[in-house]
Structure formats: structure tokens, C-alpha cells
Amino acid sequence: MSLLEGINEPRDLDSLSAEELETLAAEIRAFLIAEVSKTGGHLGPNLGVVETTIAIHRVFDSPRDAIVFDTGHQSYVHKLLTGRQDFSRLRQKGGLAGYPQRSESPHDVVESSHASSSLSWADGISRAFEMTGQTDRHVVAVVGDGALTGGMTWEALNNISDDNSRNLVIVVNDNGRSYAPTIGGMARYLNTVRTKKGYHDLHQSSRKMADRLGAPARALYRGARGGLHGFLSRMTNNSSLYANLDIKYLGPIDGHDLEAMTEALQQAKQYGAPVIVHAITEKGRGYEPALTDVADQFHAVGQIDPETGEPLSAPSGAPSWTGVFADEMVRQAEQDDTIVGITAAMLRPTGLHKFAERFPSRVFDVGIAEQHAVTSAAGLAFGGLHPVVALYATFVNRAFDQVLMDVGLHQAGVTFVLDRAGVTGPDGASHHGMWDLAILQVVPRIRLSAPRDAERLREELAEAVRVTDAPTVIRFPKGNVGPDIPALRRTVDGVDVLREDAQKDVLIVAVGAMADLSLKVAELLEAQGIGSTVVDPRWVVPVPWSIIELSDAHRIVVTIEDGVRVGGIGTRIRQDLREAGVDTAVTELGLPDEFLEHATRSEILQRVGLTPEQIAEDLIAQVRGNKIPIARPISATPSDTDTLHRLVR
Ligand SMILES: Cc1ncc(C[n+]2csc(CCOP(=O)(O)OP(=O)(O)O)c2C)c(N)n1
Ligand SMILES: CC(=O)[C@@H](O)[C@H](O)COP(=O)(O)O
Ligand SMILES: [Mg+2]
């Protein structure tokens, strides 16, 4: 049996010798490469935190001590050490989540994969421990150098103090990268610390001497390291980035040196005030294919050959939504030199890399700082440029106020391109891009589009970048785009009619990528003698008038969107119909207001009733006048609604 198999919970680490711990680290690395190669996942980040995570679990006592992982994509080692070693269905339905998940283990605290929140979590938890007399409980936050570029981390650092967060330890996992090398002043500071020759020479020589002279010298060495920090500050001509915060600094430490990390964490644990332990690590550590991957050091991989790191499946050849955007963005920018691009540390994942290669001076990577990205875009627009802010849909949530008050209020011509909109799948609840339509549609004068295929994405991007007095949004799903879906005709206000039966029983309003599914529903209805019209509004907000007119001409209207149903586009259409005095029955179909689990996109759509068969069945019943039994809303379990009604009665 391997040492790893003998670890069922963190305290099993206590009996291992220094040599055995090194062996364990090697076994964990081999496990990660072997297992994550099969399933896909965040291989690079987890290879980079093996020793750090072992050291954290040696020194601290989870779950009594709370361990918070920022973003959480680097928590596989934590899972291995806390009784979860079946990675065979990682990020798949019924398998381990790719992020911490409280339902999996009491060792897991933060489930959200939205970066830069860990220090705020840790500040709150440590205050609560102090205020409830649990002063023997510690909080450890593991935050990456990329996550440190997010504004929330600085809000938290500004608040953390030794009055109320005595037991807080912040482990900065500094591998110099987000996906790509981390940008900005913070990164430059960390880089000087990480690469200063003097640090390495001094660190290595004093360590060797301490080892030779034994424990007392080691204490001296540790003290010197404190002084080392001051030494570094002078050498790097920076006043220490942390000196004026109420936080002590330990480091930089070699994050792959188990003993050094353990010692530093023990010091931090005993310090009695908030401490930053700055660990220097390497993303993809110990795996050559990751280390030589210049794009993102295997930040997230699909199924790969563990020997070579090469993808197991050849690319399908079908264009991805991201790829279509990437090419059209370059085309538009060639015609209009006011167009600039902004990314929040995700240049390649959002497809802006081609634009960046072509127009390097017209693209800005602001770090994991979506709020700053949006408001700086408002500034760029004020200055006469047309910013295109490319984000994953789920991450625009974080910048809602900036979209509303900095872009919307000032009628700034900013275009938001939201990739991974709708159900994404393996990254679970905090990664589904399911809220953008509902939250953004309340921004006055905003224009929301949801292209149904590549041609419409190209068209709608071209239209969006010409709007200079209001925010425009284009949102599309993860993955490959299907074949173009031609329109029979386009109404005067831009609605595409995709199918038009003579018998006008059902109007199906398809939002974006739901067009293909909607046409399948229409075919099932036709087989039951029910006529339908399928339309794609293209620009869903404001609701085009022809949607109102078409609704008035049909018996029922059904709207289908890959976004939360509550407050979604269907709700908006219903409201506009009522305002126009059209009382056609409306059925709004979309995602439930639930946090949807990790599974494949199709598994989730099946579970929430968004398949052609399930939709057609309901519509057939409606058209035939059969009263559909009042089913409790998907989003609320009986106990929730009963409780709610009892409370409000
Ligand atoms: C708010 C937010 N924006 C973007 C992302 C996408 N994202 C996931 S991991 C990552 C890079 C994180 O870098 P770092 O914190 O240094 O961790 P590392 O991967 O290097 O361990 C990004 C940008 C996210 N999770 N959250
Ligand atoms: C952790 C994170 O936010 C991303 O790395 C996430 O895994 C998105 O992955 P895709 O780019 O595959 O959608
Ligand atoms: Mg990093």
C-alpha cells in the first residue's frame, strides 16, 4: 500500500518521517498526473501546491482550523489528504467536484470558484472565532498571486488587523501566473522578491549554515529571514508591500521545501497576529509537459496522454464560439481603430489573444479585476474609444454595479462579450453563466444580444461596436458552435423568423443558442398537429415590437432561454406584452433559480426540463387545454414554499 493510501485524514500525516513526507509528495504528484490526465481538470495549479498543502495539514488541524482556498481550483491535494481519493469521476455527475464542496467534506469551507474572495472569508471566520471565544481555532487562506490582483483581497488586507484576526494565516501561493504570467504592480513586486539574486544566495547560504549548526542556529536563521525581508525591501527599493498593513510577513519561502514551509507555518501559527507566508511555487511542478506549456502551464487540461501531455482527442475541427468571436474581433478592429479589448487575466480563454497578437497596443489585461475592467472601460469610452470587455458570463456578476453605474448611467458605448454563458457543466454551480440575462437587463438603455450561431455572432458584434451611447452585451455558450441556422425572413426590427406554420398555435421565442432546441420542439408539435412559429429576436433586450405583434397572433407564447428563468428574458417579454395590452398566455422556460451541480451540460439541461421532448409534452398539454397539474416550481422544494407561505400568511 502506498503512503497516500494510508492517509484517510490529515492527522495520519503526523506519523510520517521527513523522508516519508517527501515520498508522499512524490506519490501525490504521480497520482495527480495519472488521474487528472484521465478526467481533465486543473492539473498545473495542483501540481504546484503539493508540499504547501501537506505542510498546511501538518501544522493546522482541519476541520477545527478552517482552510480556505481562493478560487478553489487548487484544492485537489487538500481533497486527497482529507479522505477523498477516488478521482475517477472528477468534475462529472456524481463524482468529486473540481472545487471545495461542503457536501463532500467538513474540511471544505468555500465552494465559490470566483477568485479573490478568500481573504474576506478568512477575515470573517477569524473574527467570528475570536468573538465566540474559539481562540484556539486558526484560519488559513491559500491565495494565488493571480487572485491577489483582485480588488477584494486589498479590501480584506485593509481590514485585517491584529485586534481581531490574531489566528489568521495567509499563504500566498506565488507561482507567478494566473493563466499567463500575472500582470500589474503586485506581480512586479512579487517578481522582484521571487527573483532577487540576493534572496536566493542569502537564503541558501544561511540555510546551509543553520543546518550544519543545528536548532539554535535555525532559530537565528529564521530571525534573520525576518531581517531578510527588511534586507529585501532595501534591495528592491520598495517599502515592503505589507509593511504598513497590520500583517506580519514571513518569506519568501520555497513552497516546495516541505520542512521550510512547515517551519514557517508553525511560526505563523504561534505568532498571535495575522501573518502572510509568502510561498514561492511552480505551476505544473514536477511534470515537464506542464512546465514547458508556455500558454498556461496546464492551468486546466482536458484528457491528455500522461506521458506526453498531448490531448487524447484531436480537435473536432468545428469552430468554437470563442474562436468565432476571436476572428470577428480582429476583423472589426481592422475597420475601426477606436476598438480596444480588455481582459481580466483571461486573454486566451476569452479569445482576445488573436486581437492582442494583431493589435498589442490596443489590448489591456487588468488582472483578475472585473470591476476595474468595467469602470476603466467607461473611462476608455469617455476618451473616445470603444472598449470590448471579454469575460466569462459568470464573472460579470461581480461587476454589476460598474456596468449599471459607470457604464449604463453614463451611456457609455462599451461592448461586453460574455463567453461561457448558460450551463457550462464540469465547473459546477459558480461557473454556470446563468445570471447575466436577468441581472443585466435591468440596466437602463442596455442592449442584450444572444447569437444563435456563428453568423449571428459576427453580425451582432459588428452591430454592437457601432453603438456609442449605451452598453451592448453579446453572450454565447461554452464549446463548439453548431451549423448556421438560416432565417426564412427578418422583421423590420431585426427579429429572425426561423419557422412559420400557417396554423398559429404556438410562438416559440428562442434566446440565442436555444434556437436549435426550439426548432426540434416545433417538429414534435407538428407531429401532433400543432402549428408553431419559431423566432430568434437576436437582440432580446429591449424586446423588439414584432415579438409583441407575433405574440398577439398566436394562442400561446413560450420563451426558451439558457439563463435563470426568474427575472429572465421571458419575464421581460411577459411584462412588455401586458404593457401592450396583449394577454396571450406566456410560458417562460429557463434554468431554475438553483445552484446547479457539476455534470455535463446535457445532463443538467435534462434534469431541469430543457429538452425538446419535455418542452413539447408540456406545450401539447397546454394547447389541448389540459390543465397541467400545479407542479411546485423546480426552484423550490416543498419545504421551502410551505415554509415561505406559512411565514407570510
Ligand atoms: C472573478 C474570477 N475571474 C476569473 C476567474 C478565472 N480564473 C480561474 S483560476 C484563474 C487564475 C488564478 O491565478 P492564481 O490565483 O495565481 O492561482 P494559480 O492558478 O496560479 O494557482 C483565473 C483568472 C475566476 N475564477 N474568478
Ligand atoms: C478555475 C476557472 O475559473 C477556470 O479555469 C475554469 O475552469 C473555466 O474553464 P473553461 O475555460 O474550460 O471553461
Ligand atoms: Mg498563480
Coordinates of all heavy atoms in Angstrom, one line a residue, residues 30-81:
A30 N 2.4 11.9 -8.7 CA 2.2 10.8 -9.7 C 0.7 10.6 -9.8 O 0.2 10.4 -10.9 CB 2.9 9.6 -9.2
F31 N 0.0 10.6 -8.6 CA -1.5 10.4 -8.7 C -2.1 11.5 -9.5 O -3.0 11.2 -10.4 CB -2.0 10.4 -7.2 CG -3.5 10.2 -7.1 CD1 -4.1 9.0 -6.8 CD2 -4.4 11.3 -7.3 CE1 -5.4 8.9 -6.7 CE2 -5.7 11.2 -7.2 CZ -6.3 9.9 -6.9
L32 N -1.8 12.7 -9.3 CA -2.5 13.8 -10.0 C -2.2 13.7 -11.5 O -3.2 13.8 -12.3 CB -1.9 15.1 -9.5 CG -2.3 15.6 -8.1 CD1 -1.5 16.9 -7.7 CD2 -3.8 15.8 -7.9
I33 N -1.0 13.4 -11.9 CA -0.7 13.3 -13.3 C -1.5 12.1 -13.9 O -2.2 12.2 -14.9 CB 0.8 13.1 -13.5 CG1 1.5 14.4 -13.1 CG2 1.1 12.7 -15.0 CD1 3.0 14.2 -13.0
A34 N -1.5 11.0 -13.2 CA -2.2 9.8 -13.7 C -3.7 10.0 -13.8 O -4.4 9.7 -14.8 CB -1.9 8.6 -12.9
E35 N -4.3 10.5 -12.7 CA -5.7 10.6 -12.6 C -6.3 11.8 -13.4 O -7.3 11.6 -14.1 CB -6.2 10.7 -11.1 CG -5.9 9.4 -10.3 CD -6.5 8.1 -11.0 OE1 -7.7 8.2 -11.3 OE2 -5.8 7.1 -11.2
V36 N -5.7 12.9 -13.3 CA -6.3 14.1 -13.9 C -6.1 14.0 -15.4 O -6.9 14.6 -16.2 CB -5.7 15.4 -13.3 CG1 -6.3 16.7 -14.0 CG2 -6.0 15.5 -11.8
S37 N -5.1 13.3 -15.8 CA -4.9 13.0 -17.3 C -6.2 12.3 -17.8 O -6.6 12.5 -19.0 CB -3.7 12.2 -17.5 OG -2.5 12.8 -17.1
K38 N -6.8 11.5 -17.0 CA -7.9 10.7 -17.5 C -9.2 11.5 -17.5 O -10.0 11.4 -18.4 CB -8.2 9.5 -16.5 CG -7.1 8.5 -16.5 CD -7.4 7.4 -15.4 CE -6.2 6.6 -15.1 NZ -6.4 5.9 -13.8
T39 N -9.4 12.4 -16.6 CA -10.6 13.2 -16.5 C -10.6 14.6 -17.0 O -11.6 15.2 -17.3 CB -11.0 13.2 -15.0 OG1 -10.0 14.0 -14.3 CG2 -11.2 11.9 -14.4
G40 N -9.4 15.1 -17.0 CA -9.2 16.6 -17.3 C -9.4 17.3 -15.9 O -9.9 16.8 -15.0
G41 N -8.9 18.5 -15.9 CA -9.0 19.3 -14.7 C -7.8 20.3 -14.5 O -7.0 20.5 -15.4
H42 N -7.7 20.8 -13.3 CA -6.7 21.9 -13.1 C -5.4 21.2 -12.6 O -5.0 21.3 -11.5 CB -7.2 22.9 -12.1 CG -8.3 23.7 -12.6 ND1 -9.6 23.4 -12.5 CD2 -8.3 24.8 -13.4 CE1 -10.4 24.3 -13.2 NE2 -9.6 25.1 -13.7
L43 N -4.7 20.6 -13.6 CA -3.5 19.8 -13.2 C -2.4 20.7 -12.8 O -1.8 20.5 -11.7 CB -3.1 19.0 -14.4 CG -1.9 18.0 -14.2 CD1 -2.1 17.1 -13.0 CD2 -1.7 17.2 -15.5
G44 N -2.1 21.7 -13.6 CA -1.0 22.6 -13.3 C -1.0 23.3 -11.9 O -0.1 23.1 -11.1
P45 N -2.1 23.9 -11.6 CA -2.2 24.5 -10.2 C -2.1 23.6 -9.1 O -1.4 23.9 -8.1 CB -3.6 25.1 -10.3 CG -4.0 25.3 -11.7 CD -3.3 24.2 -12.4
N46 N -2.6 22.3 -9.2 CA -2.5 21.4 -8.1 C -1.1 20.8 -8.0 O -0.6 20.5 -6.9 CB -3.6 20.3 -8.3 CG -4.9 20.9 -7.9 OD1 -5.3 20.9 -6.7 ND2 -5.7 21.3 -8.9
L47 N -0.4 20.6 -9.1 CA 1.0 20.1 -9.0 C 1.8 21.2 -8.3 O 2.8 20.8 -7.6 CB 1.5 19.9 -10.4 CG 1.0 18.6 -11.1 CD1 1.5 18.6 -12.6 CD2 1.5 17.3 -10.4
G48 N 1.4 22.4 -8.3 CA 2.2 23.5 -7.7 C 1.9 23.6 -6.2 O 2.7 24.4 -5.5
V49 N 1.0 23.0 -5.7 CA 0.7 23.2 -4.2 C 0.8 21.9 -3.4 O 0.2 21.8 -2.3 CB -0.7 23.8 -4.0 CG1 -0.8 25.2 -4.6 CG2 -1.8 22.8 -4.6
V50 N 1.5 20.9 -3.9 CA 1.6 19.6 -3.2 C 2.3 19.8 -1.8 O 1.6 19.5 -0.8 CB 2.4 18.6 -4.0 CG1 2.6 17.3 -3.2 CG2 1.6 18.3 -5.3
E51 N 3.5 20.3 -1.7 CA 4.2 20.5 -0.5 C 3.5 21.5 0.5 O 3.3 21.3 1.7 CB 5.6 20.9 -0.7 CG 6.5 19.8 -1.3 CD 6.3 19.8 -2.9 OE1 5.6 20.6 -3.4 OE2 6.9 18.8 -3.5
T52 N 3.0 22.6 -0.2 CA 2.3 23.6 0.6 C 1.1 23.0 1.3 O 0.9 23.3 2.5 CB 1.9 24.8 -0.3 OG1 3.1 25.3 -0.9 CG2 1.2 25.9 0.5
T53 N 0.3 22.2 0.6 CA -0.9 21.7 1.2 C -0.6 20.7 2.3 O -1.2 20.6 3.3 CB -1.8 21.1 0.1 OG1 -2.0 22.0 -1.0 CG2 -3.2 20.7 0.6
I54 N 0.4 19.8 2.0 CA 0.8 18.9 3.0 C 1.3 19.6 4.3 O 0.8 19.3 5.4 CB 2.0 18.0 2.5 CG1 1.6 17.1 1.4 CG2 2.6 17.1 3.7 CD1 2.7 16.3 0.7
A55 N 2.1 20.7 4.1 CA 2.6 21.4 5.3 C 1.4 22.1 6.0 O 1.4 22.0 7.3 CB 3.6 22.5 4.8
I56 N 0.4 22.6 5.3 CA -0.7 23.2 6.0 C -1.4 22.2 6.8 O -1.8 22.4 8.0 CB -1.7 23.8 4.9 CG1 -1.1 25.1 4.3 CG2 -3.0 24.1 5.5 CD1 -1.8 25.6 3.1
H57 N -1.7 21.0 6.3 CA -2.4 20.0 7.0 C -1.6 19.3 8.1 O -2.1 18.7 9.1 CB -3.0 18.9 6.1 CG -4.2 19.3 5.4 ND1 -5.4 19.6 6.1 CD2 -4.6 19.6 4.1 CE1 -6.4 19.9 5.3 NE2 -5.9 19.9 4.1
R58 N -0.2 19.5 8.0 CA 0.6 19.0 9.2 C 0.5 20.0 10.3 O 0.5 19.6 11.5 CB 2.1 18.9 8.7 CG 2.4 17.8 7.8 CD 3.9 17.7 7.5 NE 4.6 17.2 8.7 CZ 5.9 17.5 8.9 NH1 6.5 18.3 8.2 NH2 6.5 17.0 10.0
V59 N 0.6 21.3 10.0 CA 0.7 22.3 11.1 C -0.7 22.6 11.7 O -0.8 22.8 12.8 CB 1.4 23.5 10.5 CG1 1.3 24.7 11.5 CG2 2.8 23.2 10.1
F60 N -1.7 22.7 10.8 CA -3.0 23.1 11.3 C -3.9 21.8 11.4 O -3.6 20.8 10.9 CB -3.6 24.1 10.3 CG -2.8 25.4 10.4 CD1 -1.8 25.6 9.4 CD2 -3.1 26.3 11.3 CE1 -1.1 26.8 9.5 CE2 -2.3 27.5 11.4 CZ -1.3 27.7 10.5
D61 N -5.0 22.0 12.1 CA -5.9 20.9 12.4 C -7.3 21.1 11.8 O -8.2 21.4 12.5 CB -6.0 20.7 14.0 CG -6.8 19.5 14.3 OD1 -6.8 18.5 13.5 OD2 -7.4 19.5 15.4
S62 N -7.3 20.8 10.5 CA -8.6 20.9 9.8 C -9.5 19.7 10.2 O -8.9 18.6 10.5 CB -8.4 20.8 8.3 OG -9.6 20.7 7.6
P63 N -10.8 19.8 10.4 CA -11.6 21.0 10.1 C -11.8 21.9 11.3 O -12.5 22.9 11.1 CB -13.0 20.4 9.7 CG -13.0 19.1 10.6 CD -11.6 18.6 10.7
R64 N -11.1 21.6 12.4 CA -11.3 22.6 13.5 C -10.7 23.9 13.1 O -11.3 25.0 13.3 CB -10.5 22.0 14.8 CG -11.0 22.6 16.0 CD -10.7 21.9 17.3 NE -10.8 23.0 18.3 CZ -11.9 23.7 18.6 NH1 -13.0 23.4 17.9 NH2 -11.9 24.6 19.5
D65 N -9.5 23.8 12.5 CA -9.0 25.0 11.8 C -9.6 25.1 10.4 O -9.7 24.1 9.7 CB -7.4 24.9 11.7 CG -6.8 25.0 13.1 OD1 -7.4 25.6 14.0 OD2 -5.7 24.4 13.3
A66 N -10.0 26.3 10.0 CA -10.6 26.4 8.7 C -9.6 26.7 7.6 O -8.8 27.6 7.8 CB -11.7 27.6 8.8
I67 N -9.7 26.0 6.6 CA -8.7 26.2 5.5 C -9.5 26.7 4.3 O -10.4 26.0 3.8 CB -7.9 24.9 5.1 CG1 -7.1 24.5 6.4 CG2 -6.9 25.2 4.0 CD1 -6.4 23.2 6.3
V68 N -9.2 27.9 3.8 CA -10.0 28.5 2.7 C -9.1 28.6 1.5 O -8.0 29.1 1.5 CB -10.4 29.9 3.1 CG1 -11.0 30.6 2.0 CG2 -11.4 29.8 4.3
F69 N -9.5 28.0 0.4 CA -8.7 28.0 -0.9 C -9.4 29.1 -1.8 O -10.6 29.1 -2.1 CB -8.8 26.7 -1.6 CG -8.0 25.6 -0.9 CD1 -8.5 24.8 0.1 CD2 -6.6 25.5 -1.2 CE1 -7.8 23.9 0.8 CE2 -5.9 24.5 -0.5 CZ -6.4 23.7 0.5
D70 N -8.5 30.0 -2.3 CA -9.1 31.1 -3.1 C -9.3 30.5 -4.5 O -8.4 29.9 -5.1 CB -8.1 32.2 -3.2 CG -8.7 33.5 -3.8 OD1 -9.2 33.4 -5.0 OD2 -8.9 34.4 -3.0
T71 N -10.5 30.7 -5.1 CA -10.9 30.1 -6.4 C -11.1 28.6 -6.3 O -12.1 28.1 -6.8 CB -9.8 30.4 -7.5 OG1 -9.3 31.7 -7.4 CG2 -10.4 30.1 -8.9
G72 N -10.3 27.9 -5.5 CA -10.6 26.5 -5.2 C -10.2 25.5 -6.2 O -10.2 24.3 -5.9
H73 N -9.7 25.9 -7.3 CA -9.2 25.0 -8.4 C -8.0 24.2 -8.0 O -7.6 23.3 -8.6 CB -9.0 25.7 -9.7 CG -7.9 26.8 -9.6 ND1 -7.9 27.8 -8.7 CD2 -6.8 26.9 -10.3 CE1 -6.9 28.5 -8.8 NE2 -6.2 28.0 -9.8
Q74 N -7.3 24.7 -6.9 CA -6.1 24.1 -6.5 C -6.3 23.3 -5.2 O -5.4 23.3 -4.3 CB -5.0 25.2 -6.3 CG -5.0 26.0 -5.1 CD -6.2 26.9 -5.0 OE1 -7.3 26.4 -5.0 NE2 -6.0 28.2 -4.8
S75 N -7.5 22.7 -5.1 CA -7.8 22.0 -3.8 C -7.8 20.5 -3.9 O -8.2 19.8 -3.0 CB -9.2 22.5 -3.3 OG -10.1 22.1 -4.3
Y76 N -7.2 20.0 -5.0 CA -7.2 18.5 -5.2 C -6.4 17.8 -4.1 O -6.7 16.8 -3.6 CB -6.6 18.1 -6.6 CG -7.4 18.6 -7.8 CD1 -8.5 19.4 -7.7 CD2 -7.0 18.2 -9.1 CE1 -9.2 19.8 -8.9 CE2 -7.6 18.7 -10.2 CZ -8.7 19.4 -10.1 OH -9.4 19.9 -11.2
V77 N -5.2 18.4 -3.8 CA -4.3 17.8 -2.8 C -5.0 17.8 -1.5 O -5.0 16.8 -0.7 CB -2.9 18.5 -2.7 CG1 -2.0 17.9 -1.7 CG2 -2.3 18.6 -4.1
H78 N -5.6 18.9 -1.2 CA -6.4 19.0 0.1 C -7.5 17.9 0.1 O -7.7 17.2 1.1 CB -7.1 20.4 0.1 CG -8.3 20.5 1.0 ND1 -8.1 20.7 2.4 CD2 -9.6 20.5 0.8 CE1 -9.3 20.8 2.9 NE2 -10.3 20.7 2.0
K79 N -8.1 17.6 -1.0 CA -9.1 16.5 -1.0 C -8.5 15.2 -0.8 O -9.0 14.4 0.0 CB -9.9 16.5 -2.4 CG -10.7 17.8 -2.6 CD -11.8 17.6 -3.6 CE -12.7 18.9 -3.7 NZ -14.0 18.7 -4.4
L80 N -7.3 15.0 -1.4 CA -6.6 13.7 -1.2 C -6.2 13.5 0.2 O -6.3 12.3 0.7 CB -5.3 13.7 -2.1 CG -5.5 13.5 -3.6 CD1 -4.2 13.7 -4.3 CD2 -6.0 12.1 -3.9
L81 N -5.9 14.5 0.9 CA -5.5 14.4 2.3 C -6.6 14.4 3.3 O -6.4 14.2 4.5 CB -4.5 15.5 2.7 CG -3.2 15.6 1.9 CD1 -2.4 16.8 2.3 CD2 -2.4 14.3 2.0

